[in-house]
Amino acid sequence: MKSITSYTSDYLLIEGGKPLRGAVKISGSKNATLPILMATILTREECQIGNVPQLLDVRTTLELLNHLGARVVSDSSWVCVETAPLRSHTAPDHMVRRMRASVLVMGPLLARLGRALVSMPGGCSIGVRSIDQHLKVFEKAGASISIRHGYLDLNIRKIKPVEHTFEVITVTGTENALMLLSACPKRSVLRNIALEPEIMDLVEVLGKMGAQIDIDGRTAVIRGSEELAGFKHSVIPDRIEAGTFMVASYVSGGDVLLENLRVDHLGSVIEKLREAGAEVEILDLSTLRVRGKTTIKPLSISTSEYPGFPTDMQAQFMVLCSLADGVSEITENIFENRFQHVGELQRMGADIHVRGRTAIVRGVKRLEGAEVYSTDLRASASLVIAGLVADGQTIVRDIYHLDRGYERLEEKLRSLGASVERCPSREY
Ligand code: EPU
């Protein structure tokens, strides 16, 4: 065991081997909440957002809005934002470093103030994560862009309508473009957009604000407005949190009822789970039940943009494949470095070999508890699932990653019968 002095983050202590049983309510979607909170910058009127998950990334976004001058009031899962008194156009380095999605502030700030000074987001543990596609739309819309002392300085006098085809399908790139162009009354066309449900939730919000956005295939036609209105909106459920509990239920040999989700957002995940042998019973549009069987079948998974299999579920399914009866193949097509959980799963006894973008996973009979490290949000979730099914004790370190994107994870798992304890690092 390593010395405790070098760790600052809490860790999770998991006693494996307990099947998950019971019911769990899925929280609001992190990746839908973040752009919707940023969209409040587009209007001077009050915005009320419901089903907001209590997460580190949400807190960082609210801090950023506060820093810009917005008034933010929150009450359990409701957040009320008023950006009339906006006084700053700067997203400082310490905030952007804490949360890459801070780049979503660029489109709204440009639209509202004509200027955005945003610390350059570097790469992160899962890849280089360029934002060139965001900037190309901004430039076409008339923005001048320069880099000064590590900051992107974007200026625009008047937003020009745009005809643009994305060279790469990008989620936050599409969101930034939609938010900027929603403030332009003339007709813009964006092609090759991303279609994730979180984007559709933002489109609904922009519609409530007064923009007209028509989507046909991967093409969006936008007719915005110079006077966007306030809105009231309840965020969609988190499909990745749902998928994570679904996998955990199946691999633990459990029986879990998942409530408050959107079955229609989970198509590819349900398909793969069924292919692996899980019983997935759809009770209605917002409820499903996942039961485990003894033999897990191997899978062939290839991540892609929605409606394909989500990269955000790749790590969790790798745990499932690690316990399958046979050899699975997992290809990661979205991010170039999203296999960092492999090394940690190997420490728990998984048999995984990575060749380029593909991981070959030979199923083993059991995983063993070990001390492992979180490297990113979804990698952490995979380690927690592995800990739930492993023999003995697992310690998952650096769980601030988990806190960024899973609301009360250990509490929810405990309510399903898991033995999961959060421990402050210094006590270990
Ligand atoms: N890309 C470019 N240029 C760009 C933008 C993207 O080359 O201008 C590349 C990226 O490097 C990557 C690919 O395109 O290889 C897709 O990246 P995308 O822009 O779609 O990712 P993102 O918008 O930064 C969002 C989610 C991620 C999720 C991805 C893919 C948010 C806040 N984040 O990121 O969520 O993995 O889409 O679905 O919505 C997570 O929740 O754990 C998470 C990482």
Side-chain angles (χ1 to χ4, degrees):
M1 270 309 149
K2 297 188 182 178
S3 130
I4 58 157
T5 50
S6 52
Y7 309 117
T8 51
S9 171
D10 292 354
Y11 65 92
L12 286 186
L13 184 61
I14 305 171
E15 194 71 53
K18 299 197 171 128
L20 300 184
R21 288 184 198 287
V24 66
K25 281 196 170 52
I26 300 307
S27 302
S29 158
K30 166 180 84 81
N31 288 347
T33 301
L34 304 181
I36 290 171
L37 283 173
M38 298 297 193
T40 62
I41 294 172
L42 293 166
T43 175
R44 289 181 164 74
E45 294 179 12
E46 187 183 276
C47 305
Q48 290 179 30
I49 309 159
N51 203 28
V52 174
Q54 296 200 357
L55 301 169
L56 215 49
D57 276 6
V58 170
R59 210 187 309 155
T60 305
T61 308
L62 296 180
E63 270 175 44
L64 177 56
L65 288 170
N66 247 319
H67 166 87
L68 297 172
R71 266 196 290 273
V72 177
V73 181
S74 53
D75 172 21
S76 65
S77 70
W78 273 93
V79 174
C80 199
V81 185
E82 202 200 327
T83 65
L86 220 59
R87 57 171 179 263
S88 166
H89 53 250
T90 305
D93 189 51
H94 66 275
M95 286 183 179
V96 179
R97 272 186 203 276
R98 252 195 289 160
M99 190 190 68
R100 243 193 137 272
S102 305
V103 295
L104 283 166
V105 81
M106 292 189 296
L109 271 184
L110 262 185
R112 172 79 183 276
L113 301 178
R115 183 157 189 217
L117 194 62
V118 177
S119 174
M120 286 273 287
C124 76
S125 63
I126 62 176
V128 176
R129 305 187 74 174
S130 158
I131 54 162
D132 58 312
Q133 299 297 309
H134 306 226
L135 302 184
K136 280 184 180 169
V137 182
F138 295 156
E139 258 178 336
K140 271 196 184 167
S144 67
I145 302 171
S146 55
I147 299 172
R148 285 170 207 208
H149 306 293
Y151 278 72
L152 274 165
D153 193 351
L154 303 118
N155 286 273
I156 200 164
R157 291 177 69 142
K158 190 168 170 55
I159 307 166
K160 291 193 288 192
V162 157
E163 282 246 358
H164 181 76
T165 304
F166 286 101
E167 293 152 293
V168 177
I169 297 178
T170 157
V171 173
T172 48
T174 301
E175 291 166 345
N176 248 332
L178 287 171
M179 288 192 279
L180 176 70
L181 297 173
S182 287
C184 173
K186 291 194 178 146
R187 180 179 179 274
S188 289
V189 182
L190 294 173
R191 297 196 181 85
N192 204 24
I193 61 165
L195 296 172
E196 270 63 7
E198 295 75 24
I199 295 172
M200 297 309 134
D201 211 28
L202 174 67
V203 165
E204 198 181 321
V205 165
L206 294 170
K208 288 177 182 176
M209 297 178 85
Q212 190 192 325
I213 302 176
D214 298 306
I215 295 180
D216 181 11
R218 288 203 181 271
T219 301
V221 177
I222 306 129
R223 285 180 198 83
S225 158
E226 275 171 351
E227 286 297 323
L228 291 165
F231 61 89
K232 192 171 177 178
H233 184 76
S234 182
V235 173
I236 54 168
D238 198 309
R239 64 193 166 102
I240 306 301
E241 187 200 9
T244 303
F245 275 102
M246 288 163 74
V247 172
S249 174
Y250 180 43
V251 296
S252 73
D255 182 353
V256 175
L257 189 73
L258 293 101
E259 298 168 329
N260 281 13
L261 47 70
R262 283 278 298 264
V263 168
D264 54 327
H265 294 164
L266 283 159
S268 59
V269 171
I270 293 174
E271 237 169 72
K272 280 293 164 199
L273 263 182
R274 283 184 171 154
E275 209 180 306
E279 280 178 43
V280 183
E281 190 186 345
I282 296 171
L283 299 164
D284 57 50
L285 262 183
S286 62
T287 323
L288 56 76
R289 183 175 177 185
V290 179
R291 271 176 281 195
K293 272 190 185 166
T294 44
T295 308
I296 298 173
K297 292 186 201 148
L299 294 173
S300 172
I301 291 175
S302 187
T303 63
S304 63
E305 297 85 5
Y306 189 85
F309 187 89
T311 172
D312 290 345
M313 284 303 301
Q314 178 255 106
Q316 301 88 317
F317 267 78
M318 194 173 284
V319 179
L320 180 153
C321 293
S322 295
L323 292 161
D325 184 21
V327 184
S328 301
E329 235 183 71
I330 301 180
T331 303
E332 171 56 54
N333 295 305
I334 304 296
F335 292 110
E336 66 276 18
N337 195 27
R338 214 174 194 182
F339 279 146
Q340 290 195 56
H341 41 285
V342 168
E344 302 303 297
L345 292 175
Q346 283 168 337
R347 302 186 69 240
M348 298 180 76
D351 182 350
I352 308 168
H353 294 273
V354 176
R355 283 192 214 122
R357 283 185 171 267
T358 300
I360 310 293
V361 188
R362 283 171 212 286
V364 294
K365 290 262 175 297
R366 66 182 67 87
L367 295 174
E368 286 172 10
E371 183 180 0
V372 286
Y373 283 77
S374 307
T375 47
D376 75 81
L377 173 55
R378 310 304 170 186
S380 323
S382 77
L383 299 178
V384 172
I385 298 174
L388 292 174
V389 295
D391 288 347
Q393 253 184 20
T394 294
I395 289 169
V396 183
R397 293 221 177 255
D398 287 349
I399 55 162
Y400 60 88
H401 290 289
L402 272 181
D403 296 335
R404 287 189 36 229
Y406 287 91
E407 190 179 48
R408 298 181 289 106
L409 181 66
E410 68 270 19
E411 212 180 288
K412 289 186 181 185
L413 287 171
R414 270 202 303 273
S415 77
L416 296 172
S419 167
V420 184
E421 201 79 42
R422 175 184 287 256
C423 313
S425 205
R426 62 182 179 282
E427 282 179 14
Y428 185 69

